[in-house]
């Protein structure tokens, strides 16, 4: 370091940069084929999340500047529709990226091909690199959405709704990450993002053509299917999977927080009842939304039919001209200014 101070500076800065860029807390886990490098969570993850919050803000601005603003200039939307278009456009880009990434993770890790891996060997304290990095990026994105409410100048009426959405996503992702339920959390996020992608995609199509609502019907089908799969997964994991875990003792040091609770049938049934009630409330809001949308659609169609019938009646009752002349002082005149009546000839 005395002879090459620049090398020492580079080494120090490199270690600090790795703290921001790469996931921390890597450990070598012995396996049958040798050793496997995996990760667990800790306080240093907050530094990595902070770095990717700034990355998310930059990507948000790039999508807004080079895609959404150009489309908005062509559509000439109102202020309300302009704000909703920007929100749906950002979420379409995020959900599409997350769906592809999450699907790649769950397929390569074998969580879909082997559903029993969702609860086997719980708690899942050690995570593969791609699983931990996915969770850190998800937390960074939803945390970056908080300052974006100010940067995007969101209306005060929309802020409570968006805050509820952000809080629910953060609660789900952070809960799955900290309680070592990352495998189940990945599948549930994949299902949720799939339904949300079609919903916001339908919004974008609707803003470009208000008569095109086909994607809303596709979203309705996808939403119902994903809700059924979500409820099935909850029942499968909570009702049958976690109660069969070998280690049922409370052991926070090993990451086993509540599997011993699921051994109690009363607690297990209470949790399942809460899950079913929550899913039922979501379906109730969905059905209410669909009924309101169909009512508005049929009211609009009936008003158009009444307007068309009224226009046809006016055309039928419109008086027809019986001659090609015009009236002047109550007398019909011909086009050349002479009277249309025949003149009588005077006798000689």
């Amino acid at each position: 370091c005395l002879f090459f101070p620049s090398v020492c500076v580079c080494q120090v800065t490199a270690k600090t940069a790795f703290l921001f860029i790469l996931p921390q807390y890597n450990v070598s886990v012995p396996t049958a084929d040798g050793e496997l490098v995996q990760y667990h969570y800790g306080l240093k993850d907050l530094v990595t999340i902070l770095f990717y919050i700034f990355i998310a803000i930059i990507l948000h601005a790039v999508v807004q500047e080079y895609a959404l603003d150009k489309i908005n200039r062509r559509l000439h939307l109102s202020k309300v529709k302009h704000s909703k278009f920007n929100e749906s456009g950002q979420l379409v880009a995020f959900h599409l990226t997350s769906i592809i990434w999450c699907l790649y993770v769950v397929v390569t890790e074998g969580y879909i091909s082997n559903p029993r891996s969702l609860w086997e060997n719980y708690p899942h304290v050690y995570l593969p690199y791609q699983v931990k990095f996915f969770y850190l990026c998800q937390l960074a994105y939803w945390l970056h959405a908080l300052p974006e409410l100010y940067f995007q100048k969101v209306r005060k009426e929309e802020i409570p709704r968006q805050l509820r959405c952000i809080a629910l996503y953060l609660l789900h992702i952070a809960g799955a990450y900290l309680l070592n339920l990352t495998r189940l959390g990945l599948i549930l996020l994949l299902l949720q993002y799939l339904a949300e992608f079609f919903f916001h995609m339908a919004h974008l199509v609707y803003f470009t053509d208000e008569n095109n609502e086909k994607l809303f019907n596709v979203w309705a089908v996808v939403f119902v299917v994903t809700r059924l799969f979500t409820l099935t997964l909850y029942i499968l994991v909570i009702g049958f999977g976690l109660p069969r875990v070998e280690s049922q003792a409370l052991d926070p040091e090993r990451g086993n927080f509540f599997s011993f609770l699921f051994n109690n049938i009363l607690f297990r049934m209470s949790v399942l009842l809460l899950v079913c009630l929550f899913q039922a409330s979501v379906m109730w809001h969905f059905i209410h939304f669909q009924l309101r949308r169909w009512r508005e659609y049929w009211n609009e169609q009936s008003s158009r039919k009444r307007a068309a019938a009224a226009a046809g009646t006016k055309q039928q009752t419109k008086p027809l001209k019986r001659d090609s002349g015009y009236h002047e002082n109550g007398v019909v005149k011909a086009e050349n200014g002479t009277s249309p009546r025949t003149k009588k000839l005077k006798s000689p």
Side-chain angles (χ1 to χ4, degrees):
C1 289
L2 293 175
F3 298 100
F4 301 100
S6 60
V7 176
C8 293
V9 171
C10 290
Q11 290 178 353
V12 173
T13 55
K15 291 180 180 179
T16 307
F18 289 151
L19 181 63
F20 283 88
I21 298 173
L22 297 177
Q24 303 299 311
Y25 303 105
N26 56 318
V27 294
S28 297
V29 179
T31 60
D33 300 330
E35 290 186 350
L36 181 65
V37 177
Q38 292 191 333
Y39 298 80
H40 60 94
Y41 61 80
L43 290 177
K44 292 181 181 179
D45 291 340
L46 297 176
V47 180
T48 310
I49 291 173
L50 179 63
F51 173 77
Y52 284 102
I53 286 175
F54 293 114
I55 297 297
I57 292 174
I58 295 172
L59 293 177
H60 190 114
V62 169
V63 173
Q64 185 69 40
E65 178 70 22
Y66 293 98
L68 298 179
D69 286 346
K70 291 183 179 180
I71 299 174
N72 275 320
R73 294 190 193 101
R74 296 181 180 180
L75 295 178
H76 304 288
L77 299 174
S78 63
K79 289 185 178 180
V80 176
K81 290 185 178 181
H82 179 83
S83 177
K84 291 184 177 294
F85 184 87
N86 288 337
E87 178 188 355
S88 294
Q90 293 286 349
L91 289 175
V92 161
F94 168 71
H95 286 139
L96 180 60
T97 305
S98 298
I99 287 170
I100 297 173
W101 189 2
C102 188
L103 185 62
Y104 173 79
V105 172
V106 297
V107 170
T108 54
E109 295 297 330
Y111 299 154
I112 293 181
S113 59
N114 183 21
R116 297 183 63 181
S117 62
L118 298 179
W119 62 82
E120 280 185 342
N121 300 321
Y122 178 83
H124 307 133
V125 179
Y126 299 113
L127 308 176
Y129 172 82
Q130 58 182 353
V131 174
K132 176 166 183 174
F133 189 58
F134 177 82
Y135 270 92
L136 294 180
C137 291
Q138 291 294 313
L139 290 170
Y141 179 85
W142 290 110
L143 286 172
H144 111 281
L146 294 173
E148 285 294 341
L149 295 177
Y150 173 77
F151 295 148
Q152 295 294 322
K153 298 179 180 179
V154 178
R155 296 184 305 156
K156 292 182 180 180
E157 297 82 4
E158 293 291 324
I159 289 178
R161 177 185 62 84
Q162 296 200 23
L163 285 177
R164 285 195 299 270
C165 180
I166 294 170
L168 287 174
Y169 274 112
L170 286 175
L171 181 64
H172 171 83
I173 297 170
Y177 184 66
L178 297 176
L179 298 177
N180 301 314
L181 288 169
T182 50
R183 299 179 183 182
L184 177 62
L186 281 173
I187 304 297
L188 294 178
L189 269 182
L190 178 62
L191 295 173
Q192 178 66 21
Y193 285 166
L194 189 63
E196 289 291 318
F197 169 75
F198 281 101
F199 177 72
H200 291 288
M201 194 67 195
H203 267 195
L204 293 182
V205 175
Y206 177 76
F207 288 136
T208 56
D209 183 11
E210 293 186 355
N211 296 321
N212 191 349
E213 296 186 358
K214 294 181 180 179
L215 267 181
F216 278 109
N217 299 327
V218 177
W219 164 72
V221 175
V222 173
F223 182 86
V224 173
V225 173
T226 53
R227 290 302 99 189
L228 291 176
F229 271 103
T230 300
L231 185 60
T232 304
L233 273 176
Y234 273 117
I235 295 174
L236 185 64
V237 175
I238 296 176
F240 300 98
L242 289 177
R244 298 182 180 180
V245 174
E246 295 180 359
S247 178
Q248 294 290 345
L250 176 62
D251 191 359
E253 294 182 358
R254 293 187 62 252
N256 193 345
F257 294 102
F258 53 83
S259 64
F260 73 99
L261 294 174
F262 290 100
N263 197 25
N264 187 341
I265 187 171
L266 182 60
F267 178 81
R268 187 163 68 246
M269 295 304 296
S270 300
V271 172
L272 288 176
L273 180 61
L274 290 175
V275 169
C276 292
L277 289 176
F278 176 75
Q279 296 297 325
S281 67
V282 172
M283 286 300 298
W284 167 252
H285 288 293
F286 168 76
I287 293 172
H288 181 71
F289 170 78
Q290 290 295 326
L291 291 176
R292 184 180 61 185
R293 188 170 70 89
W294 290 337
R295 192 184 304 114
E296 292 175 355
Y297 173 78
W298 289 114
N299 289 338
E300 183 181 357
Q301 292 296 322
S302 60
S303 62
R304 287 181 180 179
K305 289 180 180 179
R306 286 195 298 268
T313 305
K314 289 182 179 180
Q315 290 179 358
Q316 292 178 0
T317 57
K318 187 177 181 180
L320 300 175
K321 291 183 179 181
R322 296 182 179 179
D323 49 63
S324 60
Y326 64 95
H327 290 76
E328 182 178 343
N329 295 328
V331 180
V332 179
K333 298 292 184 179
E335 293 181 357
N336 56 3
T338 60
S339 175
R341 297 179 181 178
T342 56
K343 295 183 179 180
K344 292 183 180 180
L345 296 176
K346 295 183 179 180
S347 58

